[in-house]
Amino acid sequence: MSVSQLVYALLFTLAMGFFAFSARRLVAFLRLGRPDPRLDDVGTRLRNLGLIGFAQTKILRERGAGISHALVFWGFLVVTVGTVEQMVQGFWPAFDLPHLLPSPLAFVFNLSQEIFSVGILVAVSWLIWRRTVATPKRLRGEGKGDPVHHGEAILILSIIATLMLSILVESSFELLTPGPDGGPREPLGQPIARWLSLFFVGSDPITVPTAHLVSRIGWWTHAVLVLVFLNLLPYSKHLHVLTSLINTFFSNTSGPGPVGAMKPMDLEAETDVYGASDVEHLSWKNLLDGYSCTECGRCTAACPANTTGKMLSPRKIVVNVRQRLLEKAPLLVPGADAARRGAAEQAAAGTVADAAAKVLGKKLLDDYITEEELWACTSCRACVYECPVSIDQLEVINELRRNLVLTESRFPEELMPAFEGLEQKGNPWSFAPADRGAWAEGMDIPTMAELQARGEKADVLFWVGCMGSFDERAKKITVAFARILKAADVRFAILGQEEACHGDPARRMGNEYLYQVLAKGAIEVLNGYEVKTIVTHCPHCFHQMGTEFPQFGGHYEVIHHSEYLERLLADGRVPLEQGGDKLVVAYHDSCYLGRYHEITEQPRAALKRALPVMTLVEPARTKSRGLCCGAGGGRMWMEEKDGKRINVERTEELLATGADTIAVACPFCMTMISDGVTAKSAATPVMDLSELVAARLREPTAAS
Ligand code: SF4
Ligand code: SF4
């Protein structure tokens, strides 16, 4: 064995040994998290891995940075084959992969190594420029606790650039050395190395020993840097290089399973801690999310709370989880860090008051993430939707909110009346339950109970929702939709006084206990009538009953009215007047339709069918990237004290389209956008889809 082989073997063994130690430690930290089985529907998970992980579909939604990152990722996959070849050469210097391959494959191998090395070099140079010179807002961080590790990022990017340069230096100077047969080397699929070798030689010939030496320097630089790079990853924000594909496979952000569904809590479990106040109360997947964050800031740039000046930054939430885990886990995980654990045990026993005691005395909640941040969230899912590595920031926010409400009874005082109303009256405004069906008076709409008494059944249950039942403005939407159902001869019924809130607002506000009581009550009523199909004009009811009720045995086909209207109109079942006004309409996407369920085309199609002479215009942020109205996540019941009002920001975007009508498909959006229009002193009417359709209903003639 030569000295060079010996040195390489030593370095390789040390590096791999340390890497194995680091990886084992990180996996041990994950075990601190709560169980969360994620091996269901492997087919969908593999599809996510292929599309989001390998094809980089999410990262490519943004040009510039997206293309650069995708190029680096794909380049790494290709260049890694050459790196493995080099590792083998470290032990067996004569190993030459292209020589083992048929000539065309050797050509492709060499060419791919060159093209992707240069591609990565260009992409990385651009990324360094972007971080150091252009520095877009989302890379600047949001102050304390939302650190952006520029130094680390630039170090890692510089190492990658040097790795690529070393490949090119090695191969171009190698071309200037004799081949294995002693004759000159012929480049094979190496146009760039060939050009570089000629460039380096210039008019001044380089001696063979010098060329050999420079080539070896290139080889060793690459070999050593690969090992250094590998060992830096576990200790830097670039840990995502190792974990993002795994994270994408295990993600729940793009399926499988119900997208956006909150996990049920076991309220019978014997525990003092509901939800999460520290990292050990989160699931292992939440902790893996922390490892996988690239700190790209796409989530924060899309967050309506953040961009309107609130404290909340979803990137900070995820980074805080990682920071807290790396701070606390070494003190708790057996074998992770024996010396520090010993200190922790001493601290717990009160024998020393040192740094470990301080660490154990802190919590993720309050010491890293404040209440103010948590209550600013509208649950719009823009963060989740934008994350290129399938992180679910919202899950952490929800778990911490649960802890605040259920374990600590800490929540904004404005929420108390909503909780009381839900608990005592079955609606968050404490309206009298007896008035729930009052909107239907004189409309000849049967209740389920009435139909049952007559021995009849409805095809469809119209679930009206609390807003649609009690809010004066939303009741007009309810009436309009009921008129359309009647005009289309749909055999439908309502629950009337038997309807009560399904509990979704309580769940989003962290009160899982109240939610489960309400949800189970609603399911009992629905199952009692053997309901199969439900239609509703509220996206929150639609999401809750269709996506989360199955957790408690409520299985129904739930259809949002935008989709149902589109079907009725497409089937020609809605009698409409000919012609109509030449409206210019801007449609505002509800988060619980557009992002949670990707229902974006159906409402637009319904509008186009019902209003054939209408012009549809789109606001700057639209469809699955539409800006939230600000009402979700319980924000409807909270004062918006900091920054600009989200509904005003959204209304400005809608008004900027020049539309003469704003269309919505959610009673909460209706309230928020109407308030926004008032705040802007504008006169643009805000109409629900069903109101726009109902306005064009052909009245039955006396003969008909
Ligand atoms: S769900 Fe919406 S409001 Fe909440 S953190 Fe994510 S982007 Fe921000
Ligand atoms: S959570 Fe996702 S989107 Fe947000 S900074 Fe991290 S990687 Fe980027």
Side-chain angles (χ1 to χ4, degrees):
M1 191 182 250
S2 69
V3 175
S4 153
Q5 282 168 290
L6 205 62
V7 171
Y8 185 79
L10 190 67
L11 285 177
F12 185 87
T13 309
L14 281 176
M16 287 305 175
F18 191 66
F19 178 74
F21 162 79
S22 306
R24 196 168 158 268
R25 189 169 176 264
L26 288 171
V27 172
F29 291 176
L30 288 186
R31 293 215 179 95
L32 207 59
R34 286 185 168 161
D36 185 2
R38 281 176 186 259
L39 282 172
D40 56 323
D41 202 351
V42 171
T44 311
R45 293 186 184 282
L46 287 173
R47 197 199 60 173
N48 290 341
L49 184 61
L51 289 175
I52 301 170
F54 286 101
Q56 301 270 288
T57 48
K58 275 184 130 186
I59 214 156
L60 284 170
R61 281 210 300 254
E62 189 183 301
R63 291 201 189 145
I67 293 171
S68 306
H69 278 108
L71 197 55
V72 173
F73 172 78
W74 293 324
F76 253 84
L77 294 183
V78 173
V79 169
T80 297
V81 182
T83 302
V84 172
E85 183 204 19
Q86 193 196 42
M87 286 177 173
V88 179
Q89 285 170 348
F91 296 95
W92 178 20
F95 181 73
D96 187 1
L97 184 59
H99 270 91
L100 299 176
L101 299 172
S103 185
L105 267 185
F107 179 89
V108 170
F109 171 75
N110 283 339
L111 191 62
S112 65
Q113 295 296 304
E114 287 211 338
I115 289 176
F116 280 98
S117 300
V118 173
I120 293 175
L121 198 53
V122 171
V124 159
S125 307
W126 186 82
L127 290 169
I128 292 176
W129 170 83
R130 185 164 165 270
R131 269 199 182 261
T132 51
V133 183
T135 327
K137 184 176 178 289
R138 68 178 168 85
L139 289 186
R140 282 183 229 141
E142 305 296 323
K144 190 171 174 283
D146 186 16
V148 174
H149 300 95
H150 277 305
E152 255 178 40
I154 290 164
L155 173 70
I156 295 281
L157 290 171
S158 305
I159 291 178
I160 296 172
T162 314
L163 280 169
M164 298 307 117
L165 278 173
S166 61
I167 291 175
L168 295 170
V169 166
E170 185 216 339
S171 56
S172 55
F173 278 86
E174 192 185 40
L175 283 179
L176 299 172
T177 63
D181 58 358
R185 287 181 192 266
E186 280 305 315
L188 179 67
Q190 296 167 288
I192 298 167
R194 173 77 182 144
W195 181 82
L196 280 175
S197 65
L198 294 174
F199 174 79
F200 288 134
V201 171
S203 56
D204 213 2
I206 286 181
T207 62
V208 168
T210 307
H212 182 73
L213 178 69
V214 179
S215 175
R216 292 304 292 160
I217 289 174
W219 190 96
W220 273 102
T221 306
H222 190 266
V224 172
L225 272 185
V226 164
L227 300 178
V228 170
F229 181 71
L230 196 64
N231 280 289
L232 273 182
L233 292 181
Y235 298 92
S236 77
K237 86 172 191 73
H238 282 75
L239 178 55
H240 72 266
V241 172
L242 302 171
T243 59
S244 58
L245 288 177
I246 303 169
N247 201 57
T248 300
F249 178 81
F250 288 117
S251 84
N252 57 359
T253 59
S254 39
V259 173
M262 280 179 67
K263 279 195 227 132
M265 249 176 69
D266 181 2
L267 296 167
E268 308 297 318
E270 277 189 29
T271 175
D272 297 337
V273 182
Y274 292 103
S277 65
D278 214 341
V279 281
E280 65 269 29
H281 311 135
L282 294 170
S283 76
W284 67 268
K285 175 60 174 57
N286 298 141
L287 306 182
L288 182 64
D289 279 351
Y291 287 173
S292 307
C293 178
T294 70
E295 296 181 15
C296 68
R298 289 184 189 209
C299 53
T300 296
C303 173
N306 183 276
T307 53
T308 54
K310 281 75 172 172
M311 279 291 288
L312 177 61
S313 161
R315 168 178 53 194
K316 176 182 171 292
I317 301 282
V318 179
V319 171
N320 284 165
V321 169
R322 180 176 72 219
Q323 288 172 325
R324 177 62 181 153
L325 181 67
L326 295 180
E327 177 188 57
K328 188 174 186 184
L331 303 175
L332 301 179
V333 174
D337 196 332
R340 294 190 67 193
R341 203 161 64 86
E345 279 160 9
Q346 283 179 312
T351 51
V352 285
D354 65 357
K358 261 194 199 158
V359 169
L360 292 175
K362 285 200 274 179
K363 283 188 301 165
L364 179 67
L365 180 61
D366 296 330
D367 293 305
Y368 283 81
I369 300 170
T370 62
E371 272 185 82
E372 189 184 353
E373 292 166 64
L374 296 171
W375 293 117
C377 177
T378 68
S379 76
C380 73
R381 263 175 81 82
C383 50
V384 180
Y385 197 83
E386 292 301 328
C387 181
V389 290
S390 301
I391 285 170
D392 197 328
Q393 304 86 339
L394 191 49
E395 212 167 84
V396 176
I397 293 173
N398 286 331
E399 288 301 323
L400 295 180
R401 274 190 179 193
R402 280 175 171 174
N403 186 270
L404 279 172
V405 174
L406 296 179
T407 308
E408 303 209 11
S409 277
R410 269 201 282 159
F411 47 83
E413 59 185 31
E414 307 105 286
L415 295 188
M416 187 51 112
F419 286 149
E420 283 174 355
L422 286 166
E423 195 178 333
Q424 292 159 19
K425 301 282 168 79
N427 71 83
W429 299 281
S430 292
F431 284 106
D435 292 340
R436 200 171 257 274
W439 62 270
E441 269 167 31
M443 289 190 76
D444 190 23
I445 296 171
T447 62
M448 295 296 276
E450 286 164 356
L451 285 189
Q452 193 177 54
R454 300 205 295 256
E456 295 172 20
K457 281 205 164 184
D459 293 336
V460 168
L461 168 71
F462 174 20
W463 179 279
V464 183
C466 298
M467 279 288 271
S469 299
F470 298 113
D471 179 83
E472 286 307 319
R473 179 66 188 87
K475 278 199 273 186
K476 292 182 181 154
I477 303 171
T478 307
V479 170
F481 185 55
R483 281 181 58 215
I484 298 168
L485 292 177
K486 286 173 77 76
D489 269 339
V490 176
R491 285 203 314 167
F492 75 100
I494 57 174
L495 282 169
Q497 289 183 34
E498 283 190 280
E499 186 184 298
C501 183
H502 39 61
D504 185 82
R507 188 171 231 197
R508 260 68 204 171
M509 294 189 287
N511 196 338
E512 179 74 3
Y513 177 80
L514 178 55
Y515 159 72
Q516 288 196 18
V517 170
L518 291 167
K520 286 171 186 169
I523 290 167
E524 202 179 313
V525 172
L526 294 170
N527 288 353
Y529 287 114
E530 296 177 358
V531 169
K532 301 269 182 302
T533 305
I534 299 171
V535 63
T536 177
H537 63 67
C538 175
H540 301 269
C541 301
F542 162 71
H543 172 78
Q544 178 53 236
M545 294 192 291
T547 311
E548 302 191 7
F549 268 17
Q551 295 169 359
F552 304 98
H555 298 274
Y556 320 103
E557 182 195 21
V558 185
I559 311 166
H560 185 254
H561 83 325
S562 56
E563 213 170 352
Y564 200 71
L565 281 173
E566 210 282 311
R567 283 189 209 170
L568 292 176
L569 289 161
D571 293 346
R573 290 179 61 184
V574 185
L576 297 177
E577 299 282 1
Q578 294 294 313
D581 296 335
K582 283 192 176 178
L583 294 178
V584 180
V585 178
Y587 172 70
H588 161 77
D589 293 275
S590 147
C591 302
Y592 277 70
L593 286 184
R595 247 186 309 275
Y596 277 68
H597 294 278
E598 295 188 334
I599 295 179
T600 56
E601 296 311 321
Q602 300 90 325
R604 287 170 173 80
L607 279 172
K608 284 176 193 160
R609 285 187 196 280
L611 309 166
V613 288
M614 165 210 70
T615 305
L616 192 62
V617 288
E618 297 291 347
R621 283 175 276 188
T622 189
K623 300 186 180 177
S624 51
R625 286 187 145 168
L627 179 64
C628 178
C629 73
R635 292 293 323 168
M636 183 79 179
W637 292 274
M638 291 177 241
E639 272 305 308
E640 201 171 328
K641 292 172 192 141
D642 296 328
K644 186 176 179 180
R645 292 184 69 87
I646 296 172
N647 64 332
V648 171
E649 171 93 349
R650 181 52 169 168
T651 306
E652 284 172 358
E653 280 190 358
L654 292 161
L655 293 176
T657 60
D660 52 37
T661 304
I662 295 171
V664 296
C666 168
F668 288 85
C669 296
M670 169 64 80
T671 300
M672 301 306 275
I673 304 300
S674 299
D675 286 354
V677 168
T678 306
K680 296 303 294 180
S681 305
T684 312
V686 185
M687 306 281 282
D688 185 83
L689 285 186
S690 54
E691 293 178 304
L692 287 164
V693 176
R696 299 213 45 246
L697 277 179
R698 195 171 62 229
E699 294 303 331
T701 60
S704 64

